[in-house]
Amino acid sequence: MKKNFDAIVVGAGPAGSSAALTMAKAGLDVALLERGAFPGEKNMFGGVLHRLTALEEFFPDFWDQAPLERHIVKKGLTFMTGEATFNVNFDTQASDRTPYNGYTVHRPRFDRWLAEEAQKAGATLITRTTVDDVIREGGKITGVTTLRDGGALKAPIVIAADGVLSLTAEKAGLRRPKFDRSHMAIGVKALIEMPKETIDERFGLVRDQGASTEIVGCTEGVRGGAFLYTNYDALSLGLVLHLGSLADSGKTPYDLLNRFMAQPQMAKLLRGGRLLEYSAHLVPEGGYEMMPELVGDGIMVAGDAAAMCIVTGLNLEGINLAAQSGVLAGKAALEAHNSRDFTKSGLSIYRRMLEESFVLKDLKLYKRAPHMLHNDRIYTSYPELVCGIMDEIYRIDGNPKSTMTQLLMRAVKEKVGLKNALADVYSGWRSL
Amino acid sequence: MNIDEIFDYTSFNIDREAHIVLDPAICVRCDQRACTNSCPARCYTWSEEEKKMTFVYDGCLECGTCYVVCRPGAFKLWRYPRGGFGVSFRMT
């Protein structure tokens, strides 16, 4: 097997394949390494594939080319208690027109497709290959060793796109060896088989329209929330739990997931469904605050490996940031090859391009959001407050009604306290 | 969903070689053992009678939770499985 390349990309996920595609299209000789038997085999998410503006130059009709499930027209937010739900839905025809705003996908299919597009463009896709370490020469990273026959691959540029734990970035000394558990969340997911017609009727959808809902209040006090997305003929649902909070709670993710699926309103939506697959993965929710060094001598870090993740409670972005950072890392590699400068300063154009793009602008804009979300009241008191108020508004029990103001003040005082509520509104406003 | 039946839902190509090796002495001294409840595949079980941690990597989802929650030095080895081995998501 060939051992020398212009660039090595570690990890054929959205960041890595976007980088490989960008470089291969421009004529670089690229190795795209993947530890799975095929790209996507190890990848799951509890998310929506947001519109990938970064890839639109390569795929002008992305929605006709990529293996997608449904495009999202309906976004929902649900406050949940043990026996009630309060839903806010936004359903718009604007999201029913191309370019679509987001999609549901099966990662083993989507990631495989994107990696194969990089391969078609000329990248050498090498699967079943786990990277073990980086090779250093004169202080510079000049390649990687793999767990496959002790193999070594050499290139003046390595792009670490190996996911949330990025052992490659760690070996290169770009991230701290120990993660802070408060920066991480664990996502667990169940894929539930359901006929397309049933999904369409239950969720009010037609054709390839899809719905995505975020749910809060369903985690028994563990910080986190749930998601429910419609695939073509399956539902994706699961929990995203802050790791520190979960660890301290003594509860297990699968018991919480089972009880969430058994909650009465959820159970109605899932009725008749069959579990197809269970999966789990960490999410780098800390975002900007936990970012590693993005550039070193001969190396750049992209996607989840660089903690490019935005969690606001309403949006959960990751793949769009990964694809954008991958494309920019690819462009920086092209620049570096033109100037023959593979040092940290030669590659620092990557950081500058990220600063000018939405990637670092948005990560900085929402850098307070993780702190705001480390507030236990969000996960129990507020869902109870909202559902409690709705219950009182609708309840007919022979007693005289309170005014809305009385109702609201009483509920706030009882559930969260007035001072806390004001502080939370302020903190939420500042973060978002 | 019964987590004990994980092999009915999720596919694995189990390697003979472990990709994670614990240092059991660290687990005995650990005061939280967060792995036992946080691991979404229940790979870690603590026996109070035997004062012993049992770790089985067969159903590991490669999520990274133990890498983050466990004590420094808890692992003699922590890496991803060799290429082609480990969890194999078909759809998810």
Side-chain angles (χ1 to χ4, degrees):
Chain A
M1 192 169 66
K2 206 163 101 64
K3 300 280 183 193
N4 290 291
F5 296 88
D6 293 332
I8 295 167
V9 181
V10 184
S17 292
S18 298
L21 182 62
T22 305
M23 293 186 286
K25 287 258 188 199
L28 287 193
D29 186 12
V30 181
L32 177 57
L33 306 186
E34 167 56 43
R35 64 190 184 86
F38 59 87
E41 186 189 34
K42 304 290 185 179
N43 302 1
M44 64 81 71
F45 74 155
V48 163
L49 182 82
H50 297 287
R51 181 180 165 190
L52 301 179
T53 49
L55 298 183
E56 284 174 0
E57 60 175 297
F58 304 122
F59 308 107
D61 300 316
F62 178 78
W63 49 89
D64 285 332
Q65 295 167 278
L68 306 163
E69 292 289 301
R70 291 171 182 253
H71 61 273
I72 304 293
V73 297
K74 201 180 245 193
K75 302 276 272 185
L77 175 65
T78 295
F79 296 90
M80 183 178 274
T81 69
E83 64 166 23
T85 54
F86 177 74
N87 305 299
V88 183
N89 272 313
F90 181 59
D91 189 341
T92 169
Q93 287 299 109
S95 294
D96 202 25
R97 290 189 283 269
T98 56
Y100 297 120
N101 200 43
Y103 312 87
T104 48
V105 297
H106 292 309
R107 294 292 300 279
R109 284 183 199 155
F110 178 80
D111 290 28
R112 185 176 202 159
W113 168 79
L114 189 57
E116 282 171 359
E117 289 295 318
Q119 197 177 20
K120 275 189 221 159
T124 306
L125 174 63
I126 307 170
T127 57
R128 298 176 187 270
T129 301
T130 305
V131 165
D132 188 35
D133 206 346
V134 294
I135 299 170
R136 264 173 222 277
E137 283 170 288
K140 287 195 195 101
I141 308 291
T142 57
V144 296
T145 58
T146 71
L147 291 179
R148 189 165 153 174
D149 317 321
L153 299 172
K154 302 285 296 285
I157 296 175
V158 172
I159 296 177
D162 50 341
V164 52
L165 296 185
S166 192
L167 302 182
T168 306
E170 194 228 343
K171 296 258 161 72
L174 297 181
R175 75 154 169 84
R176 284 181 295 257
K178 185 71 190 158
F179 284 107
D180 182 340
R181 55 168 83 169
S182 71
H183 284 157
M184 292 286 194
I186 174 74
V188 290
K189 170 167 150 182
L191 187 73
I192 307 281
E193 184 182 53
M194 193 171 281
K196 178 196 188 295
E197 296 70 30
T198 310
I199 293 177
D200 287 348
E201 279 169 26
R202 276 186 204 176
F203 292 85
L205 304 166
V206 294
R207 293 177 275 107
D208 292 342
Q209 292 181 342
S212 84
T213 300
E214 263 61 54
I215 303 139
V216 64
C218 51
T219 50
E220 301 180 11
V222 177
R223 291 174 194 168
F227 58 87
L228 172 63
Y229 303 136
T230 58
N231 301 299
Y232 191 75
D233 51 7
L235 300 177
S236 289
L237 72 144
L239 303 176
V240 179
L241 306 160
H242 294 197
L243 201 48
S245 177
L246 174 72
D248 294 341
S249 75
K251 296 178 200 283
T252 68
Y254 35 88
D255 289 335
L256 288 171
L257 181 61
N258 277 332
R259 290 198 285 269
F260 165 63
M261 292 197 286
Q263 196 274 359
Q265 283 83 30
M266 273 307 293
K268 280 190 278 187
L269 288 176
L270 303 179
R271 188 166 42 88
R274 185 173 70 92
L275 179 62
L276 290 176
E277 198 164 43
Y278 172 68
S279 55
H281 216 281
L282 285 186
V283 185
E285 285 206 344
Y288 191 73
E289 198 168 89
M290 66 178 287
M291 273 185 127
E293 293 284 325
L294 297 173
V295 179
D297 287 316
I299 186 165
M300 293 177 275
V301 190
D304 266 12
M308 290 170 179
C309 174
I310 297 174
V311 180
T312 61
L314 295 176
N315 267 335
L316 212 169
E317 296 181 40
I319 295 189
N320 53 332
L321 304 169
Q324 181 73 59
S325 66
V327 167
L328 295 181
K331 287 184 175 168
L334 296 172
E335 287 285 329
H337 269 281
N338 284 336
S339 62
R340 310 297 303 164
D341 181 359
F342 306 110
T343 63
K344 185 174 177 179
S345 93
L347 295 174
S348 63
I349 185 172
Y350 172 51
R351 169 108 205 173
R352 287 200 296 281
M353 289 192 289
L354 285 170
E355 298 268 9
E356 284 160 21
S357 79
F358 73 90
V359 176
L360 277 176
K361 286 201 163 96
D362 287 356
L363 278 159
K364 282 183 191 169
L365 180 66
Y366 291 116
K367 69 179 177 191
R368 287 200 192 93
H371 290 285
M372 183 267 291
L373 294 171
H374 282 263
N375 174 347
D376 288 327
R377 286 186 292 276
I378 295 174
Y379 308 103
T380 45
S381 308
Y382 284 111
E384 282 174 10
L385 174 84
V386 171
C387 291
I389 289 173
M390 295 319 292
D391 193 71
E392 278 213 45
I393 289 174
Y394 289 122
R395 186 165 298 285
I396 305 292
D397 58 3
N399 290 316
K401 296 268 185 217
S402 306
T403 67
M404 277 292 195
T405 321
Q406 288 168 331
L407 224 164
L408 185 67
M409 291 305 280
R410 195 168 62 232
V412 167
K413 277 183 191 157
E414 195 179 301
K415 299 284 185 194
V416 289
L418 202 55
K419 243 169 101 177
N420 286 336
L422 290 172
D424 294 344
V425 168
Y426 177 70
S427 150
W429 180 256
R430 248 166 64 96
S431 308
L432 303 179
Chain B
M1 182 191 64
N2 181 349
I3 198 67
D4 294 330
E5 292 167 6
I6 189 168
F7 298 100
D8 294 351
Y9 314 126
T10 306
S11 305
F12 298 86
N13 299 312
I14 302 166
D15 196 354
R16 297 180 311 273
E17 250 177 63
H19 62 284
I20 296 174
V21 180
L22 270 181
D23 180 347
I26 302 271
C27 303
V28 172
R29 291 200 306 271
C30 180
D31 59 355
Q32 192 178 26
R33 300 189 190 100
C35 56
T36 56
N37 74 289
S38 305
C39 171
R42 199 159 79 192
C43 293
Y44 296 83
T45 41
W46 171 254
S47 160
E48 194 55 44
E49 298 88 74
E50 298 172 64
K51 301 278 172 214
K52 188 174 166 235
M53 184 72 80
T54 307
F55 169 68
V56 182
Y57 65 87
D58 298 16
C60 172
L61 295 165
E62 298 163 36
C63 71
T65 293
C66 56
Y67 183 88
V68 176
V69 299
C70 286
R71 306 276 153 191
F75 301 105
K76 290 179 181 162
L77 175 71
W78 200 106
R79 69 180 188 205
Y80 291 108
R82 291 188 295 167
F85 289 103
V87 70
S88 177
F89 295 133
R90 292 156 298 143
M91 302 179 72
T92 198

